[in-house]
Amino acid sequence: MMKRKSGKLFILLSFFIFYCLCIRFSHAADTITQDQLLPDRKTLISAGEVFELGFFSPGKSKSRYVVIWYKKVTKQSVVWVANRKNLVSHSSGVLTINNNNGNLMILDEIVGNFMVTSDSATNQTSARLLDSGNLILIEGNSTNDEGQVIWQSIDYPTDTYLPGMKLGVNRTSGRKWLLASWTSEDDSAPGDFTFVIDSNGLAQFFIQRVRQNYWTSGTLNGEIFSLVPEMRTNYLLNCSYVSNADGTYFIYPLYYKTIISILVMDVSGQICEGTVLSFCKCLHRFEPYSRRNWDAGDKSKGCVRRIELKCGSQDGFLRLSDMMFSGNPRLLKNSSLSLEYCKIECRRKCYCIAYASAHDNRTGCSFWDGELMNLGKISANISRNVPDLYVRLAASELDPPNDSQTKSH
């Protein structure tokens, strides 16, 4: 989205001369043209005063970012960041439009200048903030509604999914529309977690942690996702799935324009919709890795066994039914292998933390090692003939009778 422009840095003298030659910026405007600058402490305000754009410092940071936020929400809610990787060092930053190529550009007297947009086709443009939260670059240097939109911020999501945004893949350009968490509350640079569409063409979302699947919504089943039972027919995010020659993506409008509802990919890998949607729970006999972080809403460290494994006959297995399996197991597909054989083989391999039948007919073996990522409970209204999963626990943690107690998570 942003490219650092090569060339000379703006020195202090030329920066202030350039600023003084520009026309004074109107305080309540929703548009900036090529004869204007938007300095720090000044803002753009959408026509209906729904959104505001300006410079912002997150958390304890002193760095400045050009962001869009809800104007009338008490707690400032940032929904888009122009310069996630190219922070402005202090309050000398200015947003303007490049006179040579018509691109939006941020000037910083210390770092230099860098582009916010890079695909405009004219040197006569203006930028406007809409009541939808979309910042658009228009061909033409005017404040009226005429002119072709040649760039818009909703094509470049950051960590927030707004109405009108797409999440998916543009098949023409190859561009991926996704959400990426902030690195921390003080740093808007892309973090470890992303919210993406299934690259295999299925109508479902994944949360990925460093490109590994961490959670899935399950496929879209009518109006709800199969593994998000919290969704009902009156859910505010009326998500639509589109797959055609141009792209594959999800897009949603709101049922009610008077209701503020957004999805946020937060720093801990959680998806928030107004309040946190707590899709993550610990399995029976497991506990949060960090209780303090968990209670604060950061569940990224996951859960651990209450009692460590001993390896060998001192370990047993907890039976879990109707589970969506995680990761890629090691497979033994010999059709003569029984479930009891799988249990014996897993118990004697210290690396094995869980097992299941490899096929729906309960033959063959699937073994898991390492971590159980993306483990999920299948919604009760989804009929699936899936094998039970057996998770390794210390024998003292099992409820009698062993291997027959079923616990949901």
Side-chain angles (χ1 to χ4, degrees):
M1 179 176 69
M2 294 170 284
K3 296 182 179 179
R4 186 180 298 276
K5 183 181 178 183
S6 61
K8 298 179 180 179
L9 300 181
F10 282 83
I11 62 173
L12 185 61
L13 179 61
S14 63
F15 179 86
F16 281 111
I17 290 175
F18 182 40
Y19 177 82
C20 291
L21 288 176
C22 285
I23 296 175
R24 183 181 297 274
F25 184 77
S26 173
H27 172 69
D30 64 353
T31 301
I32 182 173
T33 63
Q34 285 182 285
D35 56 5
Q36 294 175 322
L37 290 175
L38 182 68
D40 204 319
R41 312 301 177 187
K42 297 292 185 179
T43 63
L44 289 179
I45 300 175
S46 65
E49 298 190 349
V50 180
F51 286 95
E52 192 166 7
L53 177 148
F55 286 84
F56 168 81
S57 291
K60 299 177 181 178
S61 173
K62 294 182 180 179
S63 300
R64 305 292 284 170
Y65 299 87
V66 173
V67 305
I68 297 172
W69 65 85
Y70 276 103
K71 178 173 174 54
K72 295 183 178 180
V73 174
T74 303
K75 182 179 179 181
Q76 192 170 33
S77 301
V78 172
V79 300
W80 186 77
V81 184
N83 53 321
R84 298 192 77 174
K85 299 179 181 179
N86 302 86
L87 57 88
V88 177
S89 55
H90 52 76
S91 60
S92 66
V94 171
L95 179 68
T96 188
I97 295 179
N98 188 292
N99 282 318
N100 295 323
N101 55 32
N103 283 316
L104 272 171
M105 180 174 65
I106 299 175
L107 307 180
D108 180 5
E109 66 181 65
I110 304 299
V111 176
N113 61 296
F114 50 89
M115 298 296 178
V116 176
T117 61
S118 59
D119 53 3
S120 65
T122 176
N123 61 358
Q124 290 295 320
T125 59
S126 57
R128 182 180 304 130
L129 179 63
L130 306 181
D131 282 334
S132 62
N134 190 15
L135 178 65
I136 59 174
L137 192 65
I138 306 170
E139 187 173 12
N141 199 19
S142 67
T143 58
N144 57 33
D145 292 332
E146 297 179 359
Q148 179 183 359
V149 175
I150 55 179
W151 178 93
Q152 55 183 354
S153 62
I154 62 170
D155 284 338
Y156 300 87
T158 53
D159 69 329
T160 303
Y161 191 23
L162 287 173
M165 278 186 173
K166 299 174 182 177
L167 291 183
V169 180
N170 184 323
R171 289 177 177 165
T172 302
S173 66
R175 177 190 300 153
K176 293 182 179 180
W177 299 298
L178 54 82
L179 303 183
S181 67
W182 287 26
T183 297
S184 71
E185 299 292 345
D186 306 322
D187 185 355
S188 73
D192 290 341
F193 296 96
T194 52
F195 190 56
V196 301
I197 195 173
D198 186 350
S199 60
N200 293 320
L202 297 178
Q204 64 180 330
F205 285 116
F206 287 122
I207 292 178
Q208 294 184 337
R209 185 179 188 182
V210 196
R211 298 183 181 180
Q212 297 296 316
N213 290 343
Y214 180 74
W215 174 86
T216 181
S217 65
T219 55
L220 188 63
N221 178 24
E223 296 180 343
I224 69 171
F225 291 100
S226 61
L227 298 179
V228 187
E230 294 85 353
M231 293 184 69
R232 294 294 182 266
T233 56
N234 62 345
Y235 203 65
L236 292 178
L237 300 179
N238 185 21
C239 200
S240 298
Y241 179 70
V242 178
S243 182
N244 54 38
D246 296 327
T248 301
Y249 56 87
F250 283 99
I251 188 170
Y252 80 92
L254 283 180
Y255 281 147
Y256 309 104
K257 293 183 179 179
T258 56
I259 295 177
I260 294 175
S261 186
I262 57 176
L263 289 177
V264 180
M265 174 91 265
D266 76 10
V267 297
S268 67
Q270 296 285 302
I271 289 292
C272 314
E273 187 265 319
T275 57
V276 173
L277 174 60
S278 182
F279 58 78
C280 196
K281 297 180 181 179
C282 289
L283 290 171
H284 182 59
R285 303 307 191 197
F286 282 68
E287 62 186 9
Y289 177 86
S290 170
R291 173 58 68 179
R292 174 181 294 182
N293 290 352
W294 188 277
D295 291 342
D298 181 359
K299 301 181 180 181
S300 61
K301 297 293 185 181
C303 305
V304 294
R305 292 173 178 81
R306 298 194 311 184
I307 298 178
E308 293 184 3
L309 299 175
K310 302 297 183 181
C311 185
S313 60
Q314 298 181 66
D315 295 335
F317 295 92
L318 175 70
R319 177 186 170 190
L320 299 171
S321 300
D322 299 322
M323 301 301 294
M324 179 187 66
F325 295 164
S326 67
N328 296 313
R330 303 184 184 190
L331 296 177
L332 292 176
K333 296 186 177 181
N334 188 326
S335 60
S336 65
L337 299 179
S338 66
L339 189 62
E340 183 63 23
Y341 175 86
C342 299
K343 173 183 174 182
I344 294 171
E345 282 296 295
C346 186
R347 177 173 279 153
R348 76 181 186 86
K349 300 177 187 298
C350 291
Y351 69 78
C352 183
I353 61 169
Y355 73 89
S357 296
H359 305 289
D360 291 344
N361 62 3
R362 306 302 193 264
T363 61
C365 299
S366 297
F367 299 116
W368 282 266
D369 57 11
E371 296 180 333
L372 280 175
M373 302 291 291
N374 196 32
L375 188 64
K377 183 74 172 176
I378 297 175
S379 180
N381 63 346
I382 304 298
S383 177
R384 293 187 182 181
N385 182 29
V386 294
D388 292 335
L389 177 68
Y390 294 83
V391 178
R392 193 170 195 155
L393 289 177
S396 61
E397 287 282 70
L398 294 173
D399 297 326
N402 288 3
D403 293 342
S404 63
Q405 183 75 17
T406 302
K407 297 288 184 179
S408 62
H409 95 294

